[in-house]
Amino acid sequence: MIWLLFLALAALVLAPLAFALLRPARLTGRREADLALYRAQLAELEREREAGRLEESAHRAAVVEVQRRLLATPETVPASRATRGSPGATPRTTPRTTPGALSGGAALLAASLFLVPAAGFGIYLWGGHPDIPAAPFRERAAEAAREEALLAQLRSRIEQLPPGSEAARQGWILLGNAQRGRGRLTAAAEAWEHALGTRFDPDLAAELAGLRIELSQFDRAAALLDKALAVEPNSPQLRFLRGMADAQAGRPEAARAAWTTLMAALPPDSPWRRLLRQRLDALP
């Protein structure tokens, strides 16, 4: 059953190629192509005029020039006259291929209809694992429930530890890391806040400040970074995040001042310089 599903998906993906291959050739005359080109040019000139990027006099002159080129375009000779007229007269149309023959592009499309599924099947057999059983939703839900139970158990044990102990601090950091890995930013920030309350650490403060910025809590992030900078005033990470908090809070001038000062203090080979330059260029 699974292989029938794979074949159906392959047919669905390759359907546009088959349509392009089987679609009959369309004859397009020179005059028709020129008309389409000049219409596009006139439409572009009109958009430029409406946007205010082209003055009225310049717009009129450009339109006249496009119209002059259109009038100078040679007419297409009708197919009926070409067949009845002189032997050298031929219609200006794209040539048809001989029935039953494929052009180079059509041959490539036809080959792709067979080569793409065959290549995909071969790569899957070589690097895939078709014998691995599927993970039903019930099993995934059960695994998520087990993880939730473990996190709840970890939090319960941490709360039973002495509040100011190093074991409790490490437990809160571990819980915050687990919650951050699950995408629960608010819960991770709460756990790291408990750890900082036990003992202040500038590195953990930087992690928590970055989390606060992601949660759009810019003032709380700025206050935390100011406290960390009082301990480590030369930390590039803390100074960069301080400017980031200002930039995200809508204070571009404060962010520019912080990042410019940091840029001047960094050595020429510092990896922070490129990131700072990108952020400074992005400021309004």
Side-chain angles (χ1 to χ4, degrees):
M1 189 65 186
I2 190 65
W3 295 111
L4 292 178
L5 178 60
F6 286 163
L7 289 175
L9 290 175
L12 182 63
V13 171
L14 294 174
L17 292 178
F19 174 76
L21 178 63
L22 299 176
R23 183 177 55 185
R26 179 185 176 189
L27 294 180
T28 303
R30 170 69 179 276
R31 180 70 173 179
E32 182 181 350
D34 290 339
L35 284 173
L37 174 62
Y38 295 137
R39 289 194 193 100
Q41 290 177 345
L42 290 173
E44 180 65 23
L45 290 174
E46 186 65 22
R47 286 193 295 269
E48 292 290 321
R49 184 182 66 82
E50 292 177 355
R53 292 189 292 267
L54 194 63
E55 297 181 355
E56 191 66 32
S57 59
H59 174 263
R60 286 196 300 269
V63 169
V64 170
E65 175 62 20
V66 171
Q67 292 173 346
R68 184 192 66 78
R69 292 187 211 165
L70 178 60
L71 294 175
T73 303
E75 295 286 345
T76 302
V77 181
S80 59
R81 288 179 54 191
T83 55
R84 293 196 304 265
S86 59
T90 56
R92 294 183 181 178
T93 58
T94 55
R96 282 186 181 272
T97 57
T98 305
L102 293 178
S103 64
L108 179 60
L109 288 178
S112 300
L113 292 176
F114 300 97
L115 294 178
V116 171
F121 181 73
I123 292 174
Y124 177 70
L125 290 180
W126 175 59
H129 300 280
D131 296 330
I132 293 180
F137 174 76
R138 182 179 302 176
E139 294 182 7
R140 297 197 303 271
E143 180 64 24
R146 285 193 293 269
E147 291 180 0
E148 289 295 331
L150 288 175
L151 290 177
Q153 185 178 6
L154 174 61
R155 184 182 183 94
S156 177
R157 290 183 178 179
I158 295 171
E159 291 175 345
Q160 294 174 5
L161 294 172
S165 65
E166 183 63 22
R169 177 179 176 276
Q170 292 297 329
W172 287 118
I173 294 176
L174 178 62
L175 181 60
N177 292 338
Q179 297 286 21
R180 175 66 183 270
R182 295 174 65 84
R184 298 178 177 177
L185 304 187
T186 302
E190 179 187 355
W192 286 347
E193 198 76 59
H194 281 292
L196 285 176
T198 302
R199 178 169 61 83
F200 189 81
D201 179 15
D203 293 333
L204 183 59
E207 293 289 336
L208 179 56
L211 209 58
R212 296 290 185 198
I213 292 174
E214 289 187 54
L215 292 169
S216 299
Q217 299 172 355
F218 307 122
D219 291 337
R220 297 184 67 177
L224 184 62
L225 289 167
D226 288 340
K227 184 177 179 180
L229 283 168
V231 180
E232 291 189 6
N234 297 322
S235 170
Q237 182 183 16
L238 293 174
R239 296 173 68 180
F240 172 78
L241 288 173
R242 188 62 180 86
M244 179 65 71
D246 286 329
Q248 295 295 325
R251 300 186 289 266
E253 292 304 323
R256 181 177 289 105
W259 286 341
T260 302
T261 304
L262 175 58
M263 178 81 79
L266 290 173
D269 58 346
S270 173
W272 287 94
R273 299 185 69 88
R274 181 178 179 181
L275 179 59
L276 283 169
R277 177 51 56 194
Q278 292 175 351
R279 295 294 183 177
L280 284 169
D281 293 340
L283 288 175

